[in-house]
Amino acid sequence: MIRFLSFIVLILSIVRAVPAESREVKKKSAKVSPTNYFVKKEEKNFSLLMEARRFGRGEVIFLRLTPKDKKWINESFKVSWLGKDVILTKREKSMVAFLPVSPDTPAGAMTLEIVSKIFFVKRGQKQYQIILEPTKFQVIKKNQQIKVDEKFVTKELPKETLDFIQECKTAKEAAFAKQSPLQFANNFKNPLEKIFITSKFYVRRDYNNKQGRPHGGVDFRGKTGTPIFAIQDGVVVLARKTYYEGNFTIVDHGNKIFSFYMHQDEIKVKVGDVVKQGQIIGAVGTTGMSTGPHLHLGAKINDTLVDPLSLIALQSIAESN
């Protein structure tokens, strides 16, 4: 049995705040992850649904706005999240968006603002606030530091190596700058047939007695050559050897949503390829800054790194759900 939790939501207007609503617990289909949380609002002119694995740092929140009158789907709406404009995609009955929460977001309320003269005839806009849950990312103890080739942690490198690193950086920035319409309409899936996580998102680790940056993805254990599957439909925007990531692939899923796959033994796609969810795009390996065979899966939404598992956990993307 699944609990449907209307998380603490404060409804704000321009003039004054309305008291927060009480929690409601409802039964849901067994297909929905028991760990996911939902916010559901029935307004006069539309309904609002927000789903997340949890409302915390590094997570993705799925948003669906469904007008009560079907003709309003073609009207112009503006939505902002944490002060940034949100890319909305119109579907047959609703509008959807993906809201990233940076792992570095400060504690407090997260604000969603909807601007519409159709929905809010008098004031023209409305705000919703969700309280950010406390999040503690793992810190690896110094006596558990990771040993890697010294060439990955030293700054004393030959000019040709530094030039290659800069070339890789430029290629990655260009790939993540791509903009395209939303490419998918179904839920995300896992990148490997068998899932065993060896390193979680945003873990802070030391490399060769030097503090490293937080882990920007999730590591999955796998034997060299194990097939890697695209977690969602999209277009390949990068597929090449890079210095730190090894054999590296980035897939554009539209609306500034990207998944990326690092340390591959082999890349089986090329830039420009249209891939389908579940398609083999590479093989597990240990190239680049790696200590053993594994897949590093990452996700970025609107230039914000998020935990890819929070995308995979979403169950409401398909409109039929």
Side-chain angles (χ1 to χ4, degrees):
M1 305 303 290
I2 307 303
R3 55 179 184 171
F4 186 94
L5 183 65
S6 184
F7 204 76
I8 301 175
V9 180
L10 304 177
I11 308 173
L12 303 178
S13 68
I14 296 176
V15 180
R16 62 187 180 84
V18 178
E21 292 193 337
S22 60
R23 280 188 190 185
E24 297 176 6
V25 180
K26 299 182 180 181
K27 297 178 181 179
K28 286 290 289 180
S29 165
K31 292 182 179 180
V32 178
S33 169
T35 60
N36 286 8
Y37 287 83
F38 297 80
V39 168
K40 187 174 182 181
K41 291 293 301 174
E42 290 293 337
E43 301 286 5
K44 179 181 178 181
N45 296 323
F46 69 97
S47 62
L48 176 151
L49 170 73
M50 298 177 75
E51 179 198 1
R53 184 177 62 167
R54 59 191 298 270
F55 294 106
R57 294 188 295 158
E59 299 290 307
V60 178
I61 300 173
F62 175 70
L63 169 70
R64 176 183 285 123
L65 294 175
T66 306
K68 296 292 177 68
D69 190 325
K70 291 183 179 180
K71 67 182 180 182
W72 291 340
I73 194 69
N74 296 316
E75 296 293 334
S76 177
F77 304 98
K78 180 181 178 182
V79 176
S80 64
W81 170 248
L82 298 176
K84 295 181 68 174
D85 288 346
V86 171
I87 304 174
L88 283 173
T89 292
K90 295 178 183 178
R91 291 195 173 158
E92 184 179 346
K93 300 177 182 178
S94 60
M95 292 166 284
V96 299
F98 294 80
L99 314 177
V101 183
S102 169
D104 299 317
T105 300
M110 303 181 292
T111 301
L112 173 75
E113 182 178 72
I114 302 173
V115 179
S116 169
K117 288 293 185 180
I118 299 295
F119 287 165
F120 317 111
V121 179
K122 292 183 179 180
R123 298 188 178 94
Q125 70 182 68
K126 205 166 193 177
Q127 293 182 337
Y128 301 84
Q129 287 192 334
I130 298 176
I131 304 303
L132 184 68
E133 291 184 21
T135 304
K136 289 185 178 181
F137 295 112
Q138 184 182 6
V139 177
I140 301 298
K141 298 178 181 179
K142 289 186 177 181
N143 60 359
Q144 296 176 318
Q145 65 173 303
I146 296 174
K147 295 288 185 181
V148 296
D149 193 312
E150 190 64 23
K151 69 179 182 180
F152 293 117
V153 294
T154 183
K155 295 182 180 179
E156 298 178 1
L157 294 169
K159 183 180 183 302
E160 57 269 26
T161 301
L162 294 174
D163 289 344
F164 179 61
I165 292 173
Q166 182 58 48
E167 176 193 327
C168 296
K169 180 181 178 182
T170 301
K172 288 182 286 185
E173 289 174 347
F176 284 126
K178 301 287 185 182
Q179 296 193 45
S180 67
L182 197 65
Q183 309 277 333
F184 60 92
N186 293 309
N187 301 331
F188 286 75
K189 291 187 177 179
N190 284 314
L192 301 178
E193 186 174 340
K194 295 181 179 180
I195 298 300
F196 188 92
I197 296 171
T198 56
S199 184
K200 296 180 180 180
F201 177 73
Y202 234 58
V203 171
R204 188 175 291 278
R205 304 178 292 194
D206 291 343
Y207 298 92
N208 298 12
N209 291 317
K210 298 176 182 178
Q211 187 180 62
R213 291 180 296 180
H215 192 222
V218 175
D219 287 348
F220 297 86
R221 178 185 295 172
K223 294 181 180 179
T224 298
T226 299
I228 297 171
F229 307 111
I231 64 172
Q232 189 55 273
D233 299 348
V235 178
V236 178
V237 290
L238 186 75
R240 56 166 290 172
K241 180 180 179 181
T242 56
Y243 188 75
Y244 294 104
E245 300 86 358
N247 289 329
F248 189 36
T249 302
I250 301 176
V251 178
D252 173 17
H253 305 295
N255 284 13
K256 296 286 286 180
I257 302 170
F258 300 89
S259 61
F260 51 94
Y261 311 77
M262 294 165 48
H263 310 306
Q264 299 171 90
D265 184 63
E266 182 182 0
I267 298 174
K268 298 190 176 183
V269 290
K270 63 183 183 301
V271 172
D273 283 355
V274 177
V275 298
K276 292 296 182 181
Q277 182 185 73
Q279 178 180 333
I280 296 176
I281 60 173
V284 171
T286 184
T287 56
M289 187 175 171
S290 171
T291 58
H294 72 285
L295 167 66
H296 174 110
L297 174 69
K300 183 176 280 193
I301 298 179
N302 204 14
D303 301 318
T304 300
L305 273 178
V306 294
D307 188 338
L309 296 181
S310 68
L311 267 176
I312 295 171
L314 296 174
Q315 297 294 317
S316 302
I317 297 173
E319 196 161 41
S320 60
N321 291 342

